[in-house]
Amino acid sequence: MPEVFSSSQAPSDSPTLDATKEVLRGLRKKRVHRRQGHNPVQVAASQKMPDRHHKRKVDEYSEVMSREKYSSNPVTAFLTKPLKTFFASQSREEEIILLLRKHPITQIRWVLTTLVLAVLPILFINVELFSFFPGNYMFAARVGWYLLLLGFSIESFLSWFFNVYIITDERIVDVDFLSLIYRSISSAKIDNIEDVSAETSGALRSVFDFGTVRVQTAAEKTEFEFEDVPQPNKVIALINDLLLEEEREKVEGRVS
Amino acid sequence: MFGLDLTAILTQDSLLLLVFKFFFVVSALLYCLFAVVVIRQIVVMKNTLMTTFSPWLQIAGYTHLGLAIFVLLLFLVVL
């Protein structure tokens, strides 16, 4: 007579039987849940999964920027979260976090030169060398001199104002206007940054807290140099915060 | 000076003054061209970096050009 297998009589320590019972128990639970309207997908969603498309504001992840106010004055060297400021190639969702220029103290040379040259005609007014020129020619020479000085001042100011270093929540940008006809814009994504360092050397730099920030990247331009920018340590802290946030975004699968 | 009466030479020699006037006028003309290039430079810079201060810079550029043209006319009239 063949043996008939009965599960109730089978020994309880049979692994195959226990596994089968577990599977059957699980299946029964699923059927019950579905009948009662428990959708596992809805349950998971209600447990507050991180939004894959949520982009955090810089104040949420950067302690440095959370202490800084929005900058409304465009004529400074260290603009945090500047208002109504945009640059070419800025994408719609991209936000400028920091806009840097050279520290104003580095412009003292052309300012002093302008002042000295402005005073020069007054000093040479009584020099006999020019006394043989008719009065109208002397007047024309002085007018021409001050016009040249005005042009020199405007060019120097434009060079300072528009040579900027921009840090956004996605990349760093270096805008260079080296002359009247030469413009260079370089950028690198934050997650291509490999190394950041700051150099503050000399008494003037120490007193006025400005220095050079060097950023090594894996982009086409391998090194970005932010020359003579104010508060270089704060700049480095911000870049480190941005790097950490990029890593978090990758881990959490958030779209950047 | 140097044993020469330069004042007499310059006032009597109108040709030399004409040369100086030509020099001044050509310099002023070249400067006007430079002022035009500065305006173009401001426009390019403004389109690269847009700030609330940019309109003032454009005004400064046009004022600079206006002054350059005024100086050119001044040289033509006064000299």
Side-chain angles (χ1 to χ4, degrees):
Chain A
M1 192 162 174
E3 279 187 12
V4 175
F5 176 76
S6 170
S7 61
S8 59
Q9 292 171 0
S12 61
D13 57 353
S14 160
T16 310
L17 181 61
D18 288 340
T20 308
K21 280 180 182 174
E22 279 298 318
V23 169
L24 288 170
R25 224 174 277 136
L27 283 170
R28 274 187 226 117
K29 273 186 191 170
K30 276 188 186 172
R31 273 189 228 125
V32 167
H33 276 288
R34 278 191 201 129
R35 261 186 249 130
Q36 291 174 355
H38 291 185
N39 188 339
V41 174
Q42 286 175 358
V43 169
S46 69
Q47 285 169 4
K48 291 185 183 175
M49 294 281 284
D51 185 359
R52 289 174 69 87
H53 297 277
H54 171 67
K55 193 175 169 185
R56 297 204 293 171
K57 290 279 179 190
V58 66
D59 291 349
E60 294 174 31
Y61 58 81
S62 174
E63 198 186 325
V64 172
M65 283 296 125
S66 63
R67 292 194 292 257
E68 298 289 338
K69 294 178 188 171
Y70 286 87
S71 300
S72 54
N73 178 11
V75 194
T76 56
F78 192 86
L79 284 93
T80 53
K81 299 176 276 191
L83 297 170
K84 295 180 186 173
T85 303
F86 310 96
F87 64 95
S89 81
Q90 180 178 354
S91 59
R92 193 177 289 181
E93 291 174 358
E94 196 173 5
E95 202 180 304
I96 298 178
I97 297 171
L98 193 59
L99 190 142
L100 299 162
R101 297 187 176 96
K102 285 191 177 180
H103 196 285
I105 204 76
T106 59
Q107 307 305 301
I108 203 79
R109 193 178 291 178
W110 70 261
V111 171
L112 283 178
T113 304
T114 305
L115 289 172
V116 168
L117 293 178
V119 171
L120 219 60
I122 302 166
L123 295 175
F124 282 93
I125 199 164
N126 293 321
V127 172
E128 207 181 299
L129 188 68
F130 304 114
S131 61
F132 54 84
F133 272 108
N136 52 345
Y137 280 82
M138 289 296 289
F139 172 72
R142 259 184 238 118
V143 168
W145 178 259
Y146 285 114
L147 187 65
L148 278 170
L149 268 186
L150 180 66
F152 171 69
S153 307
I154 288 175
E155 273 299 305
S156 301
F157 180 80
L158 288 175
S159 175
W160 173 77
F161 188 81
F162 283 108
N163 278 293
V164 295
Y165 313 107
I166 300 170
I167 300 175
T168 74
D169 50 358
E170 293 177 14
R171 53 188 169 141
I172 56 172
V173 183
D174 183 2
V175 180
D176 284 323
F177 284 95
L178 297 180
S179 71
L180 285 176
I181 52 174
Y182 182 83
R183 179 184 75 169
S184 159
I185 303 175
S186 316
S187 67
K189 291 182 84 85
I190 296 289
D191 50 11
N192 283 339
I193 293 175
E194 293 175 345
D195 185 43
V196 188
S197 61
E199 185 187 300
T200 305
S201 60
L204 203 65
R205 287 184 172 85
S206 300
V207 168
F208 290 98
D209 190 19
F210 68 95
T212 300
V213 174
R214 287 192 180 84
V215 182
Q216 296 277 349
T217 72
E220 190 181 330
K221 186 176 173 184
T222 54
E223 189 178 73
F224 284 72
E225 221 175 70
F226 296 179
E227 284 184 46
D228 296 331
V229 294
Q231 304 179 65
N233 292 331
K234 218 177 252 187
V235 176
I236 284 187
L238 170 65
I239 293 175
N240 285 331
D241 288 339
L242 288 167
L243 282 167
L244 282 170
E245 178 63 10
E246 284 291 317
E247 289 296 324
R248 269 189 225 112
E249 281 180 1
K250 280 180 197 169
V251 165
E252 291 173 8
R254 278 188 279 129
V255 175
S256 64
Chain B
M1 196 177 173
F2 306 123
L4 295 168
D5 188 2
L6 289 169
T7 309
I9 289 170
L10 280 171
T11 50
Q12 289 173 10
D13 196 347
S14 59
L15 187 64
L16 193 62
L17 287 175
L18 203 61
V19 169
F20 276 110
K21 180 173 179 176
F22 177 76
F23 168 75
F24 274 101
V25 169
V26 166
S27 301
L29 197 64
L30 289 172
Y31 195 85
C32 286
L33 292 173
F34 166 73
V36 170
V37 172
V38 167
I39 287 175
R40 174 71 191 144
Q41 183 192 16
I42 290 172
V43 168
V44 168
M45 286 173 164
K46 208 165 70 81
N47 291 335
T48 305
L49 180 70
M50 291 144 259
T51 69
T52 52
F53 194 66
S54 300
W56 293 103
L57 290 172
Q58 197 147 22
I59 290 169
Y62 281 114
T63 305
H64 178 240
L65 175 64
L67 282 170
I69 293 170
F70 171 74
V71 167
L72 172 64
L73 295 172
L74 187 76
F75 285 179
L76 285 167
V77 169
V78 169
L79 299 179

